[in-house]
């Protein structure tokens, strides 16, 4: 199965479907680790990646592993970077499976030979430049007695040449092309980490490309593109022109909730590091919720203050063998649009959503609609601000508080984010609640938190979160007028657009 060139969004639909069904996943270094999140619980995941001079398992061992796992009755996915049949040794592995009598199928992937130039703004063919493109390995089998690349033909080839895996031999490949007849001033480009947030593109000519790449510190994985189409990059470059390109952002929401913000920031070019600061678990005691259920018909309103609360409330309801009909004639209040959307996903429409999305505003909007003496149910986190129940109680409303979940601090920082936090290589810190602020501070330490915030831009979803940051001596530079994730993402983009002109 081809995993594509690096950007996980370039994985095929069929690939994602089969990946989720696999019993065993055997993957390469160039396959995006994010794709492994698609694996089902309990799947065995085996890394067999190769770097220059460092192989976790020789090719023969990989072939044997695939045969053994398949013959043991497992559904095995062999996940390879790019396309498995384009310089991916997929053909060799398929031959080994066929020889062993193992049934297999091939799921093509988006090859880096086409996708990486495209992400750099280089079309490999263009009617005004060339109708011919040739893919060449930039690193031949070192055991061959002599090169099997027809250099003379490539020298006379008027089309685009794409060399894959060619950093080590970059100078030699450029020299041999010139020696074979390609003009030294032929435009060329080297693209490192193509389709990833760290993509770098270096333009030059065959004469100076090797020196330029060495001075720039170009490292594998990288490809070399040769031909006049590389000059089109000046007009067609897009990936590296996105507003947050080159920025590293920390997203501190729960892993389940982070996806929306990560998607928005990633689309704008940011490298997003998910550092979950909350784990959503059941409350210590469901007693108050179960007791409230006995009086469900007495409630005039059921109030939700988070999407997590909505999910936990209805999960508990269904666990008790009930459904939404248990709410009877109670009206529903949601603190904001995200909470209202969570209700819609359960087939319910909120009767009230305040214009501003914090507890004080929800209370102000509710009071004119609740008669004194009425009874309401507040479904919320185990630990939360007491503002809402206090304001309602002062107005004569009977408030039953039912914790339906609790937000705990995770045990540590994910391994992929730790090097960036330790070194301070963070451009943007985002916080969507007070709890994310407190828990992030607990994870990294107060002093490190302040150090990171001093060197990064800090974004808070609203005034309550901003006030919590102030407790640590941190003033956020970004705060949207609407306290929603889309508004937060928009405010971040606006900030960087205005400050980097």
């Amino acid at each position: 199965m081809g995993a594509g060139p690096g950007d996980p969004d370039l994985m095929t639909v069929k690939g994602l479907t089969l990946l989720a069904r696999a019993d065993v996943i055997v993957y390469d270094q160039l396959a995006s680790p994010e794709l492994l999140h698609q694996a089902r619980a309990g799947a065995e995941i085996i890394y067999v990646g190769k770097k220059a001079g460092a192989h976790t398992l020789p090719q023969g061992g990989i072939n044997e592993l695939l045969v053994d796992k398949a013959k043991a009755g497992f559904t095995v996915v062999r996940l390879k970077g790019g396309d498995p049949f384009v310089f991916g040794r997929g053909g060799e592995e398929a031959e080994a499976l066929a020889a062993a009598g193992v049934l297999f199928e091939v799921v093509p992937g988006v090859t880096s030979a086409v996708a990486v130039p495209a992400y750099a703004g280089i079309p490999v063919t263009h009617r005004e430049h060339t109708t011919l493109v040739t893919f060449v390995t930039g690193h031949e089998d070192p055991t061959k007695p002599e090169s099997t690349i027809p250099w003379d033909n490539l020298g006379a080839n008027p089309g685009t040449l794409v060399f894959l895996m060619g950093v080590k031999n970059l100078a030699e490949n450029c020299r041999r092309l010139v020696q074979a007849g390609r003009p030294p001033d032929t435009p060329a480009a080297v693209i490192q980490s193509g389709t990833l947030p760290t993509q770098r593109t270096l333009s030059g000519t065959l004469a100076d490309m090797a020196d330029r790449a060495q001075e720039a510190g170009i490292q594998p994985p990288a490809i070399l593109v040769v031909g006049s189409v590389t000059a089109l990059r000046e007009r067609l470059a897009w990936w590296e022109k996105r507003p947050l390109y080159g920025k590293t952002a920390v997203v501190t929401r729960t892993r389940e909730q982070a996806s929306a913000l990560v998607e928005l920031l990633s689309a704008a070019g940011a490298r997003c590091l998910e550092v979950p600061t909350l784990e959503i678990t059941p409350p210590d005691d469901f007693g108050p919720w179960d007791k409230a259920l006995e009086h469900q018909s007495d409630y005039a309103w059921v109030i939700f203050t988070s999407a997590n609360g909505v999910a936990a409330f209805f999960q508990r309801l269904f666990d008790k063998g009930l459904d939404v009909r248990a709410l009877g004639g109670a009206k529903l209040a949601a603190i904001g649009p995200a909470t209202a959307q969570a209700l819609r996903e359960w087939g319910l429409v909120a009767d009230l959503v305040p214009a501003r999305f914090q507890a004080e505003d929800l209370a102000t909007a509710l009071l004119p609609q609740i008669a004194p003496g009425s009874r309401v149910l507040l479904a919320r986190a185990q630990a939360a601000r007491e503002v809402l129940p206090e304001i309602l109680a002062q107005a004569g409303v009977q408030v039953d508080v039912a914790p339906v979940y609790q937000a705990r601090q995770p045990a540590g920082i994910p391994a992929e984010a730790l090097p960036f936090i330790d070194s301070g290589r963070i451009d943007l810190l985002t916080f969507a609640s007070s709890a994310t602020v407190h828990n992030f501070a607990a994870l990294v330490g107060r002093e490190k938190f302040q150090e990171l915030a001093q060197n990064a831009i800090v974004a808070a979803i609203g005034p309550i979160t901003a006030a919590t940051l102030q407790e640590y001596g941190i003033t956020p530079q970004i705060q949207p007028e609407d306290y929603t994730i889309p508004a937060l993402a928009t405010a971040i983009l606006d900030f960087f657009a205005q400050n980097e002109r």
Side-chain angles (χ1 to χ4, degrees), residues 253-298:
R253 305 194 86 196
T254 65
R255 192 170 295 279
E256 294 77 15
Q257 291 178 313
S259 58
L261 185 57
V262 167
E263 182 178 341
L264 291 168
L265 298 182
S266 296
R271 170 194 283 179
C272 290
L273 304 174
E274 294 184 36
V275 183
T277 54
L278 300 173
E279 289 180 349
I280 304 302
T281 62
D284 292 332
D285 181 15
F286 269 117
W289 190 96
D290 293 338
K291 185 176 180 181
L293 194 62
E294 299 173 5
H295 305 282
Q296 189 60 54
S297 60
D298 298 334

Side-chain angles (χ1 to χ4, degrees), residues 4-359:
D7 182 349
D9 287 341
L10 294 179
M11 180 70 163
T12 65
V13 173
K14 183 171 184 178
L16 289 175
T17 300
L18 296 179
L19 198 61
R21 298 178 186 169
D23 301 313
V24 181
I25 299 172
V26 181
Y27 74 102
D28 278 347
Q29 178 207 355
L30 295 181
S32 171
E34 292 182 43
L35 294 174
L36 299 178
H37 296 163
Q38 303 296 324
R40 64 171 181 79
E44 183 180 7
I45 299 175
I46 304 171
Y47 173 65
V48 294
K50 300 175 183 177
K51 294 183 180 180
H55 294 184
T56 57
L57 195 64
Q59 187 61 53
I62 295 174
N63 296 348
E64 185 178 347
L65 173 66
L66 298 178
V67 170
D68 289 346
K69 290 295 183 181
K71 287 194 168 183
F74 296 115
T75 297
V76 184
V77 161
R78 173 67 173 111
L79 190 63
K80 304 176 73 67
D83 181 276
F85 280 11
V86 179
F87 302 131
R89 304 190 74 169
E92 298 173 44
E93 294 175 6
E95 284 184 299
L97 294 170
V102 173
L103 295 176
F104 66 90
E105 62 177 296
V106 179
V107 181
V110 177
T111 175
S112 60
V114 172
V116 169
Y119 269 51
I122 301 171
V124 293
T125 65
H126 189 289
R127 285 197 307 172
E128 295 179 7
H129 291 263
T130 180
T131 55
L132 175 68
V133 59
T134 304
F135 301 156
V136 188
T137 178
H139 182 71
E140 281 192 282
D141 183 346
T143 63
K144 290 181 179 179
E146 60 184 31
S147 175
T148 57
I149 296 175
W151 290 103
D152 289 343
N153 290 341
L154 293 183
N157 187 332
T160 304
L161 305 179
V162 181
F163 287 81
L164 281 71
M165 306 170 294
V167 173
K168 182 178 179 181
N169 295 332
L170 179 60
E172 177 65 9
N173 290 339
C174 290
R175 184 191 68 79
R176 296 196 72 160
L177 282 175
V178 172
Q179 186 181 43
R182 276 272 180 149
D185 61 354
T186 300
V190 169
I191 309 158
Q192 175 184 317
S193 302
T195 80
L196 296 175
T198 52
Q199 174 177 305
R200 287 202 296 160
T201 305
L202 197 64
S203 297
T205 65
L206 282 178
D208 63 13
M209 182 51 71
D211 290 339
R212 283 174 174 265
Q214 184 175 15
E215 291 173 6
I218 294 294
Q219 298 292 326
I223 71 170
L224 168 67
V225 185
V226 178
S228 62
V229 290
T230 62
L232 293 169
R233 168 175 164 75
E234 295 181 10
R235 299 194 300 273
L236 303 183
W238 61 277
W239 182 252
E240 294 154 75
K241 289 186 176 181
R242 294 171 301 156
L244 296 183
Y245 176 77
K247 305 297 182 187
T248 299
V250 167
V251 179
T252 57
R253 305 194 86 196
T254 65
R255 192 170 295 279
E256 294 77 15
Q257 291 178 313
S259 58
L261 185 57
V262 167
E263 182 178 341
L264 291 168
L265 298 182
S266 296
R271 170 194 283 179
C272 290
L273 304 174
E274 294 184 36
V275 183
T277 54
L278 300 173
E279 289 180 349
I280 304 302
T281 62
D284 292 332
D285 181 15
F286 269 117
W289 190 96
D290 293 338
K291 185 176 180 181
L293 194 62
E294 299 173 5
H295 305 282
Q296 189 60 54
S297 60
D298 298 334
Y299 293 118
W301 287 83
V302 179
I303 305 168
F304 296 94
T305 57
S306 72
N308 286 323
V310 172
F313 181 95
F314 287 105
Q315 185 59 58
R316 180 65 174 175
L317 194 68
F318 292 141
D319 288 346
K320 299 285 285 186
L322 301 170
D323 59 28
V324 294
R325 290 173 294 181
L327 296 178
K331 291 186 175 182
L332 306 177
I335 196 168
T339 307
Q341 176 59 36
L343 284 169
R344 282 193 291 272
E345 291 170 4
W346 292 93
L348 300 168
V349 177
D351 297 284
L352 183 147
V353 181
R356 296 175 67 85
F357 317 134
Q358 56 189 29

